[in-house]
Each structure stands twice: as structure tokens, then as C-alpha cells.
Amino acid sequence: MTAIVEIQNVSKKIKGKTIIDSVSFEVRKGEVFGFLGPNGAGKTTTIRMMVGLIGISSGDIKISGYSIKNDFEKAISHVGAIVENPEMYKFLSGYENLVHFARMSSSIPKAKIDEVVELVGLTDRIHDNVKTYSLGMRQRLGLAQSLLHDPKVLILDEPTNGLDPAGIREIRDHLRMLARERDMAVVVSSHLLSEMEMMCDRIGIIQNGKLVDVQMVNDFVNGSETLYEFDVAPKEEARILLQNMLSDSELKITPQGIAVPIKKEEVPSVVKGLVTEEIQIFGVREITKTLEERFLEVTESKEEAAHV
Amino acid sequence: MFKLIQNEWLKILKRPGTYVMTGLLVFMIMFVGGIVKYQLVKENPQEDKNWKQTMRVEVNQAKLELKNMGHAPKQVVEATQKNIALKEYQINHSIPPTQKYAVWDFVSSGSGMIQLAGLFTIIIAAGIVSSEFTWGTIKFLLIRPISRGKILVSKYITVIMFSIVMLVILFSLSSLLGVILFGTPETSVPYLNYLNGKVTEQNMALHLIILYGMKSIGMIMLATMAFMISAAFRNSSLAIGISIFLLFTGGELTGLLALKFNWAKYILFANTDLMQYFEGEPMVDGMTLSFSVIMLAVYFIIFQSIAFYVFKKRDVAA
């Protein structure tokens, strides 16, 4: 997989304040890259720089090899994007909006417009005024306009914002399909962690204008160790026993039982130990941490590090 | 570029405000036409068979006045001179005074409504950039493979085209209405032009087109200013407010200043009326046609440079 978007040491200063502090990462063809961070961390600012809406103070962003700074027209012709809300001309119909934006790229045939309308499932309502559209429909129209010129890179800022679960799922499926079937690089930003987990291949975490971490989603969620939850009785005896067996691990009492940080290979021996001491075992479950938990872990630890 | 202009027209024509403005313009033309017609029916002017005789008397009287004037203000002296010259020319060339109100008179008085066309052009100019910001559509507009400069140029061209459309509507409708209500004059009367003590004949239609063109300069300059404010400050109310205020008061304010201060000639509005060089006197002594044209060009370049510089540099953050 080759990198199609390269963010190279990008910083943004506004009135002497550093909003984005030398961020570097790249996005490859055919992957969905999630851009994750709390509100105000700099997600939207970074995305705005990627599409040339705001200037770059230092560093450079290259799309398909062209600098967005020096070669804007060539670079941006490979990009389709929705920045924040998909605000369209409300007094025009959805179709007129698409015609309007199609005219701004070189040679987009009429058939292409119909094709993207079909793709996002707006065929029935495309000739109605955008005024009458729901947020979900506007989001889909926004997606349609960003796909008109067959971009190699799709950049979506909070694409699922304000959508209902069905709409979220639909967008998610679309994005995965575009990445897989058309080999597009898709960049999405969000503060909704559960969403990112289902949508993205890799995620980059940004906090206070700095890129904290870039990882594969699976690695990120699972982290270095796994937790096993033992549903046992009596609880207190089991806890003491486990503490003796695994002296250096930290045990956690959960509502269902005891959470123990061990490797998979260690599970049978722990079970055996518990059984010989006549502890009743009702179940052993692997607990996968959600992205949310991991996210909070990562951001909190970085914050602590910063304060020390 | 053609496609961009096409886009701008799509956005103008799909908004109801445009039709309200055009409708108002059409209504005003018809309204004025109606009033003039009503007044004419009431007055029913008498034709003077011995117009040469009457005019000679008037000329002699005016000449007498001119002799006794002495220390009268320059403007009065020149107005009298112009009057005499025009009348003598009419007598010598047997051009009767237009006794009957006809189509050209109506078109000529219609030129007063250029202010209205200017008002609407300013509204369009003030909104054409800033609206994209308020709608939020600027974000979609600027992420196309088209430079910001080109987008701004296409928008400015659209504003100019809009003003031309307004003027064409005004001119052709008042011509049409003029013909219907007042009829064409029996003999084609040329327009008499007075410049530097000489009287020349000019084709009436041509004269009126020049008149419209000259009177539109102020409107174009103010629309350009509104466009600049709109592009640079993203604020359409500010752009509309300032420009319309100046559209209606700029000329008078400058006129007042011009009585006292010589530097008033550098103010935009001292230079927008180029007719002052063809028939009449410049606002401030020593102003020439080329001075005004240069001043207009300077203002134009300043407005456009600010608009383009700020628009190209701006971080689109909202």
C-alpha cells in the first residue's frame, strides 16, 4: 500500500498561538484512516489545512505527490471532502447543487452525476429543494458532491454527526466500500470512538494540537495485554488466592467477578489453581477493551506525562 | 471561467429576491410613465407657431442679462452662455424646441432610475461573496481545482453583467413604454450638445445611451466597493449599508466639501459624474476629464486589490 496523503511536520500558528504542533502522518490507498481527538484538539484545523481552506504555517501537505501549498489546483483535484456540516445551496435542488459543483471540476459527464446520486441513494428526492432535506439526506448529498470527480482521497469531517443509527451504518458501509472497491484513501475525523472502531483501519489520535499516536485499530483496542474476567464464588477468597498466584498483577473487582490481566496461555493454570482450592467457576470471559477506554487511557497518560 | 459565471447566474436566478428587485424596477418605470402621462393629459401644452420670434426675444433678453451680470457666480454666467448658444443654434438651423413630450424625453427622465438599478446591483455585489460564507457553502466552493482568484473574478464579472442587465431592462422598457404612451416625435430631433462654447448635433438614441453609460459609472464604482467589503469583510450588511448610504449621499456630501476644500476633487464622488465635462462645469476648478478617469482607475484598482488580497489570504474557518 502506498501513501497518497503525506502530512509533513505541519504546524499552524494563529496570532502567535500554536494550534497544530508539527503533526506528521500519512494515509495509504485503500484504507480508512480515523482522526480521533477530543473537541478542540485540532482535528478540524488539520482537515482544513489538508483541503487548503486555511494556510499552513510550516511544513507541507502532499496529496498524490502535489503540495497543497504550492500546487493547490493539482493537489485538490484528487480530493473530495466535506468539512464540518454539509451546507449546500438551500434554494437549489439537490441535482442543481451537484451540477453546480460538477461544473467546477473538469469534464464531468451528466451520467456521472446520476451515478453518484444512485450510489448515495438519493434518486427519489434529488430534484427537490435542499431546503426540504433532512440532515441525513444532506449528508448523503454532501457525500455525492465529494465523489463527483472520482477522487483518490476522500476527507470527511465528522461524517456521522447528527445522523441516526441507520444513517450512521449506511455511511459506514459506504466508506468501507469506497475504500475497498475503489481503492480510495478515506480520512474521517470523529470524537465518537465506537464509530471509529467499526469504520477505520488505522487511527491517529490528536490532542492539544499534537499527534499522540498512530496505530492499527485492532492493536490499539487490544493494547499490550488482555483482561480475563472470572465469574467465581466466593469472590473474596478467590481474590486472595489469585493475588497470591499472580503477585505482580493488579486485580479488579467487577460486578460480574474479578478481572485479571493475564495472557491466554495462562488461563488453564489459573483455572486449575482455583478449582483445586474449591472455588466455584461459573465462567471465564475475555474482556476486549473498547476504543473508548483505550482512548481515555492514552490521552490521560499523555496528559499526566505533560503535567509531571 | 464561463462555467463559473454560469454557476453564479444559477444562484442569482434561483433566488426570489432577484425577481422582487426586477419586478420593482419594472413597476417603477411603469409608475413613472403613468404619472407623466397623467400630467401631460392635464396640461396639454400649446404649440407655438412663431417659436423663432419668441426665442429671439429670449436670446436678446439673456444677452442683456449677461452684460449686467458683473460679479455673478461663474456657474450662473456659464449657464446663461450655454442657454444663449443653444437657442441661437436652434434658430439658425430651424430646430424647433421639442414641444411635445415624446419617447426620448421619457427615456431621458428614466435615467434617474439608474439609482434604483444601482441599489439592486449593490445588493447583489454585497451578497455574492459574503453569502457563501453565511450559507457555509464557501467550504465546498474553495475545495475545487480552481484558484480563489478565478472564483472572485467570475463573481465580479457576474456583478457587472447583472448591472448591465438592469440597465438594459431600464433602457428598453422605458423606450417601449415611451413609444406606447407618448409616441415617437414627428420629426427626428437631434440632441444639441454644448461643449467649450460650441454647439454640436448628436443622434438622440446615441446620446441617451451615452447618458446611461455615464450615469452608471457611479453605480459601478459603488458596486465594486460593496464587492470589496463583501469579499474582504465577509459582511453583506456592512457592504450594503455603506454603499447605499454613499450612493444616495456621496454626491451631495462631496459637493458641500468641494465648496470649501480643493482636496475634495480626490474624493471618489467628485469624479463619478463624467457628464460634468461634456455639459457643464466640473465640481472643483482645475479638474479635467483625464484627471477624473485616472482617479476612477485608482479607486477601482484599490478596491480590487483589497478584495483579491484579503480573499486569497483568508483562512476559511467558519
Side-chain angles (χ1 to χ4, degrees):
Chain A
M1 290 208 283
T2 46
I4 186 143
V5 181
E6 297 159 76
I7 313 242
Q8 302 164 337
N9 267 317
V10 165
S11 296
K12 175 73 184 173
K13 285 192 182 120
I14 298 177
K15 288 180 188 146
K17 240 182 107 189
T18 308
I19 310 284
I20 300 291
D21 193 2
S22 50
V23 166
S24 301
F25 64 92
E26 42 189 50
V27 185
R28 303 162 193 152
K29 274 185 184 170
E31 77 168 347
V32 181
F33 184 89
F35 207 37
L36 192 60
N39 288 332
K43 294 184 302 265
T44 301
T45 309
T46 310
I47 283 186
R48 281 174 195 274
M49 284 194 284
M50 287 168 77
V51 296
L53 282 178
I54 63 178
I56 301 168
S57 302
S58 66
D60 202 356
I61 293 175
K62 283 187 177 158
I63 290 163
S64 205
Y66 298 109
S67 158
I68 199 89
K69 243 158 108 180
N70 310 318
D71 230 341
F72 173 77
E73 288 171 49
K74 274 189 186 141
I76 203 77
S77 63
H78 299 296
V79 177
I82 305 178
V83 180
E84 283 184 323
N85 303 323
E87 282 139 337
M88 304 299 239
Y89 299 103
K90 290 203 171 84
F91 49 88
L92 300 181
S93 72
Y95 192 79
E96 283 163 338
N97 267 291
L98 293 181
V99 168
H100 174 274
F101 290 117
R103 280 183 192 148
M104 299 185 78
S105 294
S106 51
S107 61
I108 293 173
K110 217 182 141 288
K112 182 74 202 172
I113 298 178
D114 297 332
E115 185 198 313
V116 293
V117 169
E118 181 83 43
L119 181 77
V120 299
L122 266 180
T123 314
D124 294 342
R125 295 287 305 277
I126 197 67
H127 290 288
D128 292 353
N129 263 10
V130 173
K131 246 187 267 181
T132 65
Y133 283 18
S134 67
L135 185 57
M137 292 167 72
R138 263 181 256 166
Q139 195 70 259
R140 283 190 269 170
L141 186 61
L143 191 60
Q145 68 77 32
S146 67
L147 294 174
L148 277 172
H149 50 293
D150 279 324
K152 292 180 188 159
V153 181
L154 191 60
I155 299 174
L156 306 173
D157 193 6
E158 314 250 349
T160 55
N161 220 358
L163 293 185
D164 58 10
I168 291 177
R169 200 202 153 108
E170 208 174 299
I171 291 276
R172 192 170 69 218
D173 293 345
H174 269 133
L175 296 185
R176 293 235 61 117
M177 185 272 289
L178 289 168
R180 200 160 303 135
E181 289 176 17
R182 306 204 179 178
D183 209 26
M184 266 184 207
V186 181
V187 180
V188 291
S189 82
S190 180
H191 58 267
L192 292 173
L193 305 136
S194 50
E195 260 316 301
M196 297 293 251
E197 197 176 344
M198 286 186 274
M199 204 151 47
C200 306
D201 301 308
R202 283 197 310 152
I203 52 170
I205 296 176
I206 189 164
Q207 197 187 17
N208 295 329
K210 284 186 183 146
L211 194 67
V212 177
D213 212 352
V214 180
Q215 281 186 16
M216 299 298 289
V217 165
N218 292 334
D219 297 351
F220 182 71
V221 173
N222 295 332
S224 48
E225 58 190 12
T226 36
L227 268 182
Y228 283 90
E229 188 184 54
F230 288 80
D231 189 356
V232 288
K235 244 184 189 177
E236 193 44 39
E237 277 174 40
R239 195 189 65 80
I240 295 163
L241 202 61
L242 285 166
Q243 195 66 76
N244 290 336
M245 280 200 286
L246 313 149
S247 48
D248 52 347
S249 324
E250 206 177 307
L251 303 184
K252 236 192 276 169
I253 305 289
T254 62
Q256 281 82 37
I258 304 166
V260 187
I262 47 173
K263 294 197 183 84
K264 196 173 182 178
E265 307 84 71
E266 295 176 286
V267 174
S269 63
V270 172
V271 171
K272 198 175 169 194
L274 288 173
V275 170
T276 48
E277 294 297 323
E278 302 208 327
I279 303 282
Q280 289 176 292
I281 302 177
F282 301 99
V284 180
R285 278 183 295 277
E286 185 186 344
I287 304 176
T288 37
K289 279 185 214 161
T290 60
L291 194 51
E292 186 155 346
E293 287 165 323
R294 271 296 287 165
F295 174 73
L296 291 174
E297 265 176 41
V298 170
T299 51
E300 268 162 23
S301 69
K302 294 282 170 179
E303 218 154 79
E304 273 163 25
H307 284 302
V308 169
Chain B
M1 187 56 89
F2 171 74
K3 283 181 172 174
L4 292 180
I5 295 170
Q6 211 182 349
N7 271 347
E8 293 306 323
W9 275 104
L10 173 75
K11 286 180 264 184
I12 287 178
L13 294 179
K14 283 285 175 174
R15 269 181 294 159
T18 315
Y19 297 96
V20 173
M21 290 194 283
T22 319
L24 268 176
L25 186 68
V26 170
F27 171 78
M28 280 305 288
I29 298 167
M30 303 224 267
F31 184 70
V32 171
I35 287 194
V36 171
K37 181 77 184 169
Y38 177 73
Q39 293 238 316
L40 282 186
V41 171
K42 259 173 60 180
E43 281 168 13
N44 202 9
Q46 296 290 312
E47 256 188 61
D48 190 352
K49 287 259 161 40
N50 296 319
W51 63 270
K52 279 193 184 173
Q53 209 73 48
T54 328
M55 218 172 241
R56 266 196 201 108
V57 175
E58 281 171 9
V59 168
N60 288 334
Q61 212 172 342
K63 276 184 176 164
L64 210 68
E65 271 171 31
L66 198 61
K67 251 182 215 160
N68 300 331
M69 254 176 203
H71 295 292
K74 205 171 149 239
Q75 275 93 340
V76 180
V77 177
E78 264 157 18
T80 320
Q81 280 172 343
K82 180 183 173 184
N83 194 13
I84 295 169
L86 286 177
K87 280 183 172 152
E88 278 179 339
Y89 189 90
Q90 284 185 310
I91 297 167
N92 296 338
H93 292 79
S94 291
I95 304 168
T98 33
Q99 59 284 80
K100 241 185 106 213
Y101 193 90
V103 50
W104 300 128
D105 300 285
F106 184 61
V107 177
S108 176
S109 50
S111 73
M113 269 184 281
I114 289 178
Q115 288 235 319
L116 197 63
L119 179 78
F120 297 151
T121 307
I122 286 172
I123 291 173
I124 292 289
I128 200 161
V129 180
S130 52
S131 296
E132 302 275 2
F133 282 95
T134 17
W135 294 330
T137 43
I138 190 80
K139 290 175 291 185
F140 282 131
L141 208 61
L142 296 185
I143 55 168
R144 308 286 144 188
I146 290 169
S147 70
R148 293 188 182 190
K150 261 189 206 164
I151 289 174
L152 207 57
V153 169
S154 71
K155 283 184 178 290
Y156 186 71
I157 292 176
T158 310
V159 170
I160 298 301
M161 282 170 74
F162 184 84
S163 74
I164 292 171
V165 168
M166 282 284 152
L167 287 176
V168 167
I169 290 177
L170 180 60
F171 191 88
S172 51
L173 192 69
S174 42
S175 304
L176 184 74
L177 204 66
V179 170
I180 295 170
L181 288 178
F182 312 108
T184 46
E186 291 116 49
T187 48
S188 79
V189 188
Y191 175 77
L192 297 181
N193 193 16
Y194 176 82
L195 185 65
N196 300 330
K198 264 189 239 158
V199 178
T200 46
E201 282 183 29
Q202 210 173 24
N203 177 289
M204 199 50 137
L206 183 71
H207 160 70
L208 286 171
I209 288 172
I210 291 174
L211 178 73
Y212 269 61
M214 292 291 189
K215 282 203 168 185
S216 313
I217 291 173
M219 147 181 134
I220 298 289
M221 291 305 291
L222 278 169
T224 309
M225 191 175 86
F227 183 75
M228 170 202 72
I229 298 173
S230 170
F233 301 102
R234 299 178 302 168
N235 189 330
S236 64
S237 1
L238 187 72
I240 293 180
I242 292 179
S243 311
I244 290 180
F245 175 73
L246 290 176
L247 176 72
F248 289 113
T249 62
E252 268 102 272
L253 288 180
T254 313
L256 285 177
L257 285 173
L259 293 177
K260 279 245 169 200
F261 310 104
N262 190 49
W263 53 257
K265 66 180 175 188
Y266 296 109
I267 299 174
L268 172 64
F269 303 98
N271 300 291
T272 46
D273 180 19
L274 292 184
M275 279 315 249
Q276 63 186 334
Y277 300 110
F278 299 107
E279 21 195 72
E281 274 301 301
M283 200 175 262
V284 179
D285 275 344
M287 283 169 69
T288 61
L289 179 61
S290 39
F291 171 80
S292 281
V293 171
I294 290 170
M295 284 312 293
L296 289 175
V298 168
Y299 272 102
F300 186 82
I301 291 168
I302 290 174
F303 289 158
Q304 294 291 18
S305 323
I306 294 175
F308 275 83
Y309 179 77
V310 178
F311 187 71
K312 280 178 131 175
K313 282 266 161 180
R314 150 148 283 127
D315 278 354
V316 179

